[in-house]
Amino acid sequence: MICNAEPVLPLSLSTLAAFDRPRDFSSWQFLYDFGTNHKGDPFGGASYPYLKGICDAWDNPQVRRVFFRACSRVGKTEINLGLHVASQHSDPDVGLIATPTEALLRKGIKDRLWPMLTLNSKTQPDLPAKHLRAASTHQA
């Protein structure tokens, strides 16, 4: 769409929303139906119902960043890695996993993310062979 106007007219929020991709995928439902933790146990959505709001924000194309900080044992790692798994199934794109140290990042990818991807029936068929997998980082 091209619009020539003097002065430049701002587009309304409803007009901008028309350009967003449709919300036809629910990360929460995907995790509830197919998600597992790194041990193979089903996603614990019933134990962490407040995580649904994070999934809804993740799926919302108008939300650009989701930050979630909380105390221990409330599902932070499970939902974070689960959303990366859901994205690998629905719309693979750039993702970011931040940890205090590179060693924790490598351990989290190797010990948690790869097992979660492998144990998920929807993502497992598309994974590279095990010897091609790496727990690596990339700096732009």
Side-chain angles (χ1 to χ4, degrees):
M1 173 201 294
I2 298 174
C3 177
N4 292 325
E6 279 297 326
V8 176
L9 301 174
L11 297 175
S12 69
L13 291 178
S14 59
T15 302
L16 290 172
F19 293 106
D20 288 330
R21 63 182 170 86
R23 292 186 63 187
D24 57 355
F25 181 79
S26 168
S27 295
W28 179 256
Q29 195 61 50
F30 176 84
L31 290 173
Y32 225 91
D33 294 343
F34 305 107
T36 66
N37 66 15
H38 65 288
K39 297 176 185 174
D41 299 328
F43 170 70
S47 299
Y48 312 115
Y50 48 86
L51 298 178
K52 184 179 183 311
I54 294 170
C55 290
D56 292 343
W58 182 274
D59 293 338
N60 186 340
Q62 294 180 334
V63 174
R64 301 296 179 227
R65 291 187 177 115
V66 177
F67 293 93
F68 176 47
R69 181 177 174 189
C71 60
S72 298
R73 315 302 294 168
V74 295
K76 290 187 312 289
T77 304
E78 185 171 356
I79 197 65
N80 177 21
L81 296 178
L83 286 169
H84 283 282
V85 171
S87 291
Q88 288 303 307
H89 172 69
S90 67
D91 186 19
D93 203 348
V94 176
L96 174 67
I97 300 173
T99 61
T101 66
E102 184 176 340
L104 283 174
L105 174 66
R106 290 180 180 274
K107 183 172 176 34
I109 291 172
K110 178 179 172 262
D111 296 345
R112 307 236 8 208
L113 183 59
W114 278 117
M116 289 173 77
L117 287 163
T118 302
L119 293 167
N120 188 295
S121 62
K122 295 293 186 180
T123 56
Q124 193 279 332
D126 299 322
L127 295 178
K130 194 166 188 172
H131 70 279
L132 297 174
R133 300 175 192 176
S136 62
T137 60
H138 173 73
Q139 293 182 356

